[in-house]
Amino acid sequence: MQLSPSVSLESSPSLVDCLEVNNAFAFAKISLFGGHIISFCPKSDQRERLWLSDKTRLDGSKAIRGGVPICWPWFGHHVDSQFPAHGYVREQLWHVTRCEDTGAGTEITLAPETCVGDGFDGLAALRLKIIVGQQLKIELITENIGNSSFSYNAALHSYFSVDDIQRTRLSGLSGKYIDKVAQRTIATTPETYIFSTETDRIHLVAAPQVTIEVPAYSIPIYSEGHDSVVVWNPWIEKSAGMSDMTKQGYLNLLCVETAITQDKILAAGEVHRLVQTIG
Ligand code: TA6
């Protein structure tokens, strides 16, 4: 596949190839392992939007910790525990199907090795369309190419970089959420959304915009095609049990995930786009 002038291929012996984007608007980096965006840095403020663990693997041995993991065709744990959490495409080698420089930035479309896998019986085609411009637009496009409908879930599981989670607030969420830290009980979104402990919440609301507010800056996150917004920080104890997290890593990350968690039914021939745009 011919890459556009703003895109180069970074190869190194022990790591999975990455695409490096350098255009008039931003720098970005995408690992072909999982079609996984690992960096987005607009040139307007030179501030990295995404968080990436200092201990993540980039060699294809394990899902990348940080950036934007692609969760598909299920979110979280499968009912059958033998299947991997968050689906099977984030641990596949993806390839570029389209790459073009436009007046608004660089458009790259990638596809996984296969959409077929144990734990999912749908016949689907999956594409990830990334537009690197002044904003980062991420579209996960699912098409039902079979003759019968199927149900799936998905998430753009984005890890955002924050100065200090203890001085970070979230705005734009309301209503009920499933609290995964409290045996999936239903709770109500707080007026003032701050962080002081492990947080793992599935907000049952298609919030169009959620904003991460750090004293020095804010990150607007726009979503489309979702039925939920997931908010996660592993905090101290959970991090200690993760081989690809440093002890202090939790202080500088917040996951705000544009997600489908309530079983999306796709009819034969139907196409659905799950979209997250990062400002
Ligand atoms: O989106 C939050 C979550 O489902 C948490 O429960 C936690 O498992 C996190 O995803 C990370 O999952 P991973 O499989 O990448 O370690």
Side-chain angles (χ1 to χ4, degrees), residues 65 75-76 85-86 90 157 159 180 200 230 232 242 257:
R65 178 69 60 197
F75 175 78
H86 293 322
R90 67 171 176 165
H157 190 303
Y159 288 72
K180 289 175 64 176
D200 195 349
V230 180
W232 181 61
M242 297 161 69
E257 307 159 35

Side-chain angles (χ1 to χ4, degrees), residues 175-187:
K176 299 298 182 189
Y177 67 85
I178 297 170
D179 189 344
K180 289 175 64 176
V181 174
Q183 295 77 42
R184 299 182 74 91
T185 50
I186 303 295

Side-chain angles (χ1 to χ4, degrees), residues 219-279:
I219 307 174
I221 302 154
Y222 308 96
S223 300
E224 303 162 61
H226 59 316
D227 61 17
S228 319
V229 174
V230 180
V231 177
W232 181 61
N233 185 292
W235 219 255
I236 301 165
E237 194 177 325
K238 181 77 78 171
S239 296
M242 297 161 69
S243 65
D244 52 8
M245 281 289 290
T246 60
K247 195 171 176 184
Q248 302 286 308
Y250 78 96
L251 286 169
N252 300 114
L253 77 90
L254 179 59
C255 285
V256 176
E257 307 159 35
T258 299
I260 299 168
T261 64
Q262 304 302 303
D263 302 335
K264 172 82 184 167
I265 304 228
L266 215 51
E270 192 179 354
V271 178
H272 187 76
R273 293 166 184 269
L274 181 64
V275 185
Q276 184 180 83
T277 302
I278 300 168

Side-chain angles (χ1 to χ4, degrees), residues 140-253:
L140 187 63
I141 306 162
T142 302
E143 180 180 359
N144 184 338
I145 58 174
N147 298 320
S148 54
S149 63
F150 62 70
S151 166
Y152 77 106
N153 288 300
L156 300 171
H157 190 303
S158 306
Y159 288 72
F160 293 94
S161 177
V162 298
D163 289 347
D164 179 351
I165 190 63
Q166 300 167 108
R167 299 193 314 139
T168 296
R169 292 181 177 219
L170 209 49
S171 63
L173 288 169
S174 60
K176 299 298 182 189
Y177 67 85
I178 297 170
D179 189 344
K180 289 175 64 176
V181 174
Q183 295 77 42
R184 299 182 74 91
T185 50
I186 303 295
T188 301
T189 304
E191 279 291 315
T192 304
Y193 206 134
I194 55 177
F195 300 89
S196 58
T197 184
E198 180 186 353
T199 305
D200 195 349
R201 302 173 175 175
I202 301 176
H203 290 270
L204 301 168
V205 59
Q209 179 182 342
V210 174
T211 303
I212 297 174
E213 295 165 359
V214 181
Y217 58 86
S218 63
I219 307 174
I221 302 154
Y222 308 96
S223 300
E224 303 162 61
H226 59 316
D227 61 17
S228 319
V229 174
V230 180
V231 177
W232 181 61
N233 185 292
W235 219 255
I236 301 165
E237 194 177 325
K238 181 77 78 171
S239 296
M242 297 161 69
S243 65
D244 52 8
M245 281 289 290
T246 60
K247 195 171 176 184
Q248 302 286 308
Y250 78 96
L251 286 169
N252 300 114
L253 77 90

